[in-house]
């Protein structure tokens, strides 16, 4: 019998608001320990949370981008559990009335369309951070992250392989970055996910017993965790065993998981509406105004790049997946540049400069207008392609006007016929032997003469023009 | 609704209360009478009510603005134990 994996994901994304979800503390990452903390986010008795309006707007943005119904009325609820990183002993989250429901995420897996239903998206607060390094018998708590806003996206069990899970996660990440609502810095934990895995005989419509896996910090880690768990369950069933419903913790170093909680000690969160917070009403007008502010999303860009610009699919994907590249291309195209040429530069020399410097496009000195000006200078033969690459490097590092850089570096290409003719004539005079060789049919002599002309022009002559004129003169 | 000893132990566990030593043996009768009192609420006919969310007050928001947080020493003032700017707790291992 063959077994088929059935996978559902719970993805948490930190929203990039300036302040926290219920207080005015900074939500920025990396503050000195316990310096972004106040009575509200440290759970002092008597403090009162007030909801950050931006959090609702950002969550609705994601809801609209994933085809969700936006709830006209939603309610914050308390999720009760004890853990040292949770100072109130409850997390303010949403339960039976989440902000967004019944969504659908459309994406592609190896070029094939795939759809995953989203059960819900709700808003909640993040917990603090436990630091274990300090000593062998104690942990330290940093409350800075307490109250940083999160959205949690829960899928239906529609995913059938680790590859699909990875493509889904990549798509969610791209969407979050397009919507400009999350930093998407995996190393800072801005996106985290829990995975639910079960297996069932292929063709069966029933679900098997599912196991939840926690502590997955990277997308590649999710792939490893899913593959491990699918084969663990499959082997168990082959040997005649049964899968227990439990929560397992993934260890991405040892590449194995182990039981955290069994069904017997499953958490009982005793959710109830938070009496400190009033219901959230999102009117149709509010939804529409948020909808109008949505940017063009990656899938639509991809289709435009392939369909309208004729960019090869693989390249189009590499551009559309990266918001800053896509924005850059769109701006260049608006300025009149050829989209295919820009794509080649973006994925070639510019990508190499980015790799070497570790800089994002917007951190470099290169602007769409700068690249367009440079491409025009190359296109019209004012500078050679090789010189263009040199200029690109300078602009990337320091910014500046391509014309001025060309002047400063003396990179102008000599295209004037008369100027080049006089160089060629001088070279012919000094190389009578090579000329004679060429006339006897020795092709290498011609190459040598071109080389001499280029040298005499200090590399500034346009090689195509030299080639053409030399031929005219000699033949 | 009957409150069993098992339920009391479950609630005690959730609340991190020590249920050893028979301290809860007498509680089941007490809790049963408390729950019975709350049970009278079930007698209300709420079938005509559409939604339990009261929308007479709603949408209290703050704008996304950062104001200064509390000084760290003030935040840590009540912590039983602290070290290097953090609240110190017994080692947590998952
Ligand atoms: Zn705060």
């Amino acid at each position: 019998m063959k077994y088929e994996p059935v996978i559902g994901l719970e993805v948490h994304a930190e929203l990039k608001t300036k302040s926290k979800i219920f207080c005015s503390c900074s939500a920025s990452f990396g503050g000195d320990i316990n310096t972004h903390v106040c009575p509200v986010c440290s759970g002092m008795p008597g403090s009162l949370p007030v909801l950050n309006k931006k959090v609702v707007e950002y969550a609705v943005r994601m809801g609209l981008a994933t085809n969700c119904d936006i709830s006209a009325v939603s309610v914050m609820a308390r999720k009760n559990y004890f853990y040292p990183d949770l100072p109130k002993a409850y997390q303010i989250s949403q339960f039976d009335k989440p902000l967004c429901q019944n969504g659908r995420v459309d994406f592609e897996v190896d070029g094939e369309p795939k759809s995953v239903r989203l059960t819900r998206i709700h808003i909640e607060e993040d917990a603090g951070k436990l630091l274990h390094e300090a000593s062998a018998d104690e942990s330290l708590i940093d409350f800075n992250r307490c109250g940083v806003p999160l959205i949690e996206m829960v899928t239906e069990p529609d995913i059938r392989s680790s590859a699909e899970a990875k493509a889904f996660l990549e798509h969610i990440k791209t969407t979050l970055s397009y919507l400009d609502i999350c930093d998407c810095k995996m190393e800072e934990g801005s996106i985290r996910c829990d995975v639910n895995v079960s297996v069932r005989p292929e063709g069966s419509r029933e679900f098997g017993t599912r196991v939840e896996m926690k502590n997955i910090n990277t997308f590649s880690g999710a792939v490893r965790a899913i593959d491990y768990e699918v084969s663990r369950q499959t082997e168990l069933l082959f040997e005649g065993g049964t899968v227990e419903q439990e929560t397992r913790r993934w260890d991405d170093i040892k590449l194995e998981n182990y039981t955290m909680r069994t069904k017997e000690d499953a958490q009982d969160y005793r959710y109830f509406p938070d009496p400190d917070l009033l219901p959230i009403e999102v009117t149709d007008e509010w939804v529409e105004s948020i909808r109008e502010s949505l940017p063009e999303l990656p899938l639509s860009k991809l289709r435009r790049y392939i369909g309208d610009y004729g960019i090869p699919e693989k390249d189009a994907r590499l551009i559309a997946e990266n918001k800053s590249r896509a924005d850059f291309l769109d701006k260049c195209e608006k300025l009149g540049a050829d989209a295919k040429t820009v794509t080649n530069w973006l994925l070639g020399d510019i990508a190499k400069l980015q790799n070497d410097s570790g800089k994002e496009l917007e951190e470099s000195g290169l602007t769409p207008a700068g690249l367009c000006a440079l491409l025009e200078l190359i296109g019209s033969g004012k500078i050679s392609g090789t010189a263009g690459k040199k200029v690109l490097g300078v602009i990337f590092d320091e910014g500046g006007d391509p014309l001025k850089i060309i002047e400063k570096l003396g990179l102008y290409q000599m295209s004037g016929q008369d100027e080049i003719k006089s160089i060629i004539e001088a070279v012919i005079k000094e190389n009578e032997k090579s000329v004679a060789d060429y006339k006897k049919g020795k092709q290498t002599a011609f190459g040598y003469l071109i080389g001499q002309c280029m040298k005499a022009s200090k590399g500034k002559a346009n090689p195509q023009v030299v080639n053409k004129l030399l031929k005219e003169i000699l033949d | 609704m009957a409150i069993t000893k098992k339920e009391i132990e479950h609630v005690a566990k959730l609340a991190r209360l020590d249920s050893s030593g028979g301290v809860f043996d007498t509680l089941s009768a007490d809790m049963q009478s408390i729950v019975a009192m709350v049970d009278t609420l079930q007698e209300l006919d709420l079938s005509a009510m559409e939604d339990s969310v009261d929308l007479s007050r709603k949408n209290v928001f703050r704008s996304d603005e950062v104001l200064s947080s509390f000084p760290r020493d003030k935040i840590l003032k009540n912590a039983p134990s602290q070290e290097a700017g953090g609240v110190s707790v017994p080692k947590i291992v998952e």
Side-chain angles (χ1 to χ4, degrees):
Chain A
M1 199 187 321
K2 239 188 142 239
Y3 286 96
E4 167 191 63
V6 174
I7 301 158
L9 298 173
E10 291 167 24
V11 187
H12 288 89
E14 279 187 345
L15 298 177
K16 62 181 223 191
T17 52
K18 295 188 191 82
S19 63
K20 291 186 179 182
I21 182 168
F22 298 120
C23 65
S24 307
C25 290
S26 165
S28 67
F29 180 85
D32 207 7
I33 183 168
N34 286 317
T35 52
H36 297 171
V37 187
C38 75
V40 173
C41 56
S42 59
M44 297 293 175
S47 60
L48 201 61
V50 185
L51 182 57
N52 184 341
K53 193 174 182 186
K54 262 268 148 60
V55 172
V56 178
E57 284 176 6
Y58 282 4
V60 170
R61 280 182 149 229
M62 192 60 182
L64 290 173
T66 51
N67 310 292
C68 286
D69 298 333
I70 310 302
S71 310
V73 177
S74 72
V75 172
M76 304 308 298
R78 292 186 181 179
K79 178 182 182 178
N80 299 278
Y81 65 94
F82 289 112
Y83 206 70
D85 63 8
L86 189 73
K88 297 189 295 299
Y90 59 84
Q91 178 194 27
I92 305 179
S93 179
Q94 296 192 294
F95 183 52
D96 58 339
K97 293 186 169 59
L99 192 52
C100 314
Q101 294 185 86
N102 305 322
R104 195 191 69 246
V105 181
D106 299 318
F107 59 108
E108 286 178 6
V109 190
D110 299 327
E112 294 294 313
K114 169 81 190 175
S115 227
V116 167
R117 289 168 297 156
L118 271 194
T119 318
R120 57 190 279 152
I121 302 177
H122 68 249
I123 53 177
E124 62 184 23
E125 58 181 342
D126 208 345
K129 196 170 182 220
L130 285 164
L131 310 164
H132 303 294
E133 306 83 45
S135 84
D137 51 3
E138 60 180 18
S139 299
L140 294 182
I141 318 169
D142 179 2
F143 294 123
N144 282 351
R145 217 177 58 186
C146 284
V148 168
L150 294 175
I151 47 173
E152 178 176 341
M153 295 158 269
V154 183
T155 77
E156 293 288 312
D158 290 347
I159 298 168
R160 294 290 173 268
S161 69
S162 58
E164 285 184 10
K166 181 152 191 264
F168 174 85
L169 290 167
E170 301 279 5
H171 180 82
I172 289 291
K173 183 181 172 189
T174 310
T175 307
L176 288 166
S177 92
Y178 266 87
L179 296 174
D180 204 20
I181 59 174
C182 173
D183 276 334
C184 299
K185 291 185 179 154
M186 305 300 289
E187 68 282 7
E188 294 178 5
S190 350
I191 306 176
R192 310 186 291 263
C193 84
D194 298 337
V195 181
N196 292 308
V197 178
S198 63
V199 298
R200 64 180 175 190
E202 221 162 53
S204 160
R205 307 206 62 171
E206 314 264 298
F207 291 124
T209 308
R210 78 174 195 188
V211 166
E212 183 180 6
M213 250 187 310
K214 294 203 174 275
N215 195 40
I216 295 167
N217 301 316
T218 60
F219 294 170
S220 54
V223 170
R224 290 188 285 273
I226 289 169
D227 289 342
Y228 175 88
E229 182 58 20
V230 168
S231 55
R232 189 188 71 87
Q233 291 185 18
T234 310
E235 276 166 35
L236 206 60
L237 294 174
F238 266 125
E239 287 161 9
T242 49
V243 176
E244 296 294 324
Q245 187 187 327
E246 59 183 354
T247 304
R248 299 177 73 91
R249 186 180 167 85
W250 173 247
D251 186 330
D252 206 26
I253 293 165
K254 290 185 189 149
L255 297 179
E256 57 188 28
N257 62 21
Y258 52 88
T259 302
M260 253 172 95
R261 279 195 297 269
T262 59
K263 194 182 176 187
E264 280 66 46
D265 41 50
Q267 296 272 32
D268 177 353
Y269 293 122
R270 293 151 296 141
Y271 282 96
F272 64 90
D274 191 314
D276 285 344
L277 290 152
L278 292 171
I280 305 160
E281 184 183 48
V282 183
T283 60
D284 290 347
E285 294 82 68
W286 196 5
V287 172
E288 285 320 306
S289 77
I290 295 171
R291 196 193 301 277
E292 274 162 30
S293 76
L294 291 186
E296 186 189 12
L297 291 168
L299 208 55
S300 141
K301 283 207 195 259
L302 182 66
R303 287 177 186 147
R304 184 158 57 83
Y305 293 162
I306 298 171
D308 297 357
Y309 300 164
I311 298 172
E313 185 180 332
K314 190 168 157 264
D315 292 350
R317 202 172 291 280
L318 286 170
I319 302 276
E321 251 159 31
N322 181 315
K323 181 170 184 283
S324 49
R325 267 187 195 150
D327 286 348
F328 201 96
L329 172 62
D330 288 344
K331 279 182 194 148
C332 289
E333 203 272 335
K334 279 213 180 78
L335 288 169
D338 173 56
K340 270 186 177 166
T341 311
V342 174
T343 300
N344 290 337
W345 281 80
L346 276 173
L347 299 179
D349 289 278
I350 298 173
K352 185 171 183 306
L353 287 166
Q354 282 182 262
N355 264 340
D356 293 347
S357 64
K359 272 187 194 166
E360 294 292 329
L361 263 180
E362 52 271 24
E363 294 165 336
S364 79
L366 188 66
T367 61
L371 182 67
C372 288
L374 184 61
L375 291 182
E376 188 147 347
L377 289 164
I378 298 170
S380 65
K382 291 222 168 65
I383 57 170
S384 66
T386 321
K389 290 179 182 189
K390 253 186 219 163
V391 177
L392 178 75
V394 176
I395 302 182
F396 188 90
D397 289 339
E398 309 159 10
D401 175 10
L403 274 175
K404 286 197 178 123
I405 295 168
I406 290 165
E407 235 157 68
K408 203 172 132 199
L409 300 180
L411 291 172
Y412 265 116
Q413 188 161 258
M414 201 185 282
S415 290
Q417 303 244 345
D418 295 343
E419 211 175 345
I420 293 179
K421 231 177 214 165
S422 68
I423 289 176
I424 293 177
E425 274 156 9
V427 168
I428 288 177
K429 236 177 232 167
E430 284 160 27
N431 294 280
E432 281 168 357
K433 190 176 173 299
S434 301
V435 174
D437 285 350
Y438 172 70
K439 292 200 165 157
K440 271 183 242 157
K442 202 171 163 194
Q443 277 302 315
T444 48
F446 187 76
Y448 174 77
L449 289 169
I450 296 258
Q452 290 303 305
C453 293
M454 292 306 292
K455 201 174 154 194
S457 76
K458 297 193 179 75
K460 284 182 193 168
N462 182 329
Q464 274 107 37
V465 178
V466 174
N467 201 304
K468 187 171 141 261
L469 289 179
L470 185 63
K471 240 189 191 120
E472 276 174 20
I473 294 171
L474 290 178
D475 292 348
Chain B
M1 181 184 164
I3 302 296
T4 63
K5 192 169 172 231
K6 208 176 155 206
E7 269 162 327
I8 293 181
E9 277 166 359
H10 176 63
V11 174
K13 193 180 164 197
L14 289 173
R16 301 291 192 273
L17 297 175
D18 181 5
S19 61
S20 64
V23 273
F24 293 146
D25 289 353
T26 54
L27 276 182
S28 74
D30 290 352
M31 282 184 76
Q32 191 142 346
S33 71
I34 294 167
V35 169
M37 186 186 76
V38 177
D39 268 349
T40 57
L41 285 174
Q42 304 289 351
E43 291 162 18
L44 289 170
D45 179 14
L46 300 176
S47 56
M49 291 200 50
E50 269 192 3
D51 202 309
S52 58
V53 180
D54 171 15
L55 282 178
S56 57
R57 291 170 68 229
K58 65 195 174 201
N59 289 6
V60 173
F61 297 125
R62 32 174 288 275
S63 58
D64 184 25
E65 231 179 299
V66 177
L67 301 174
S68 50
S69 294
F70 259 47
R72 180 162 63 198
D73 54 338
K74 259 188 150 171
I75 283 295
L76 295 180
K77 213 168 169 185
N78 295 322
S81 171
Q82 49 171 290
E83 206 189 298
V87 174
S88 153
V89 295
K91 188 89 174 175
I92 308 292
V93 221
E94 280 223 40

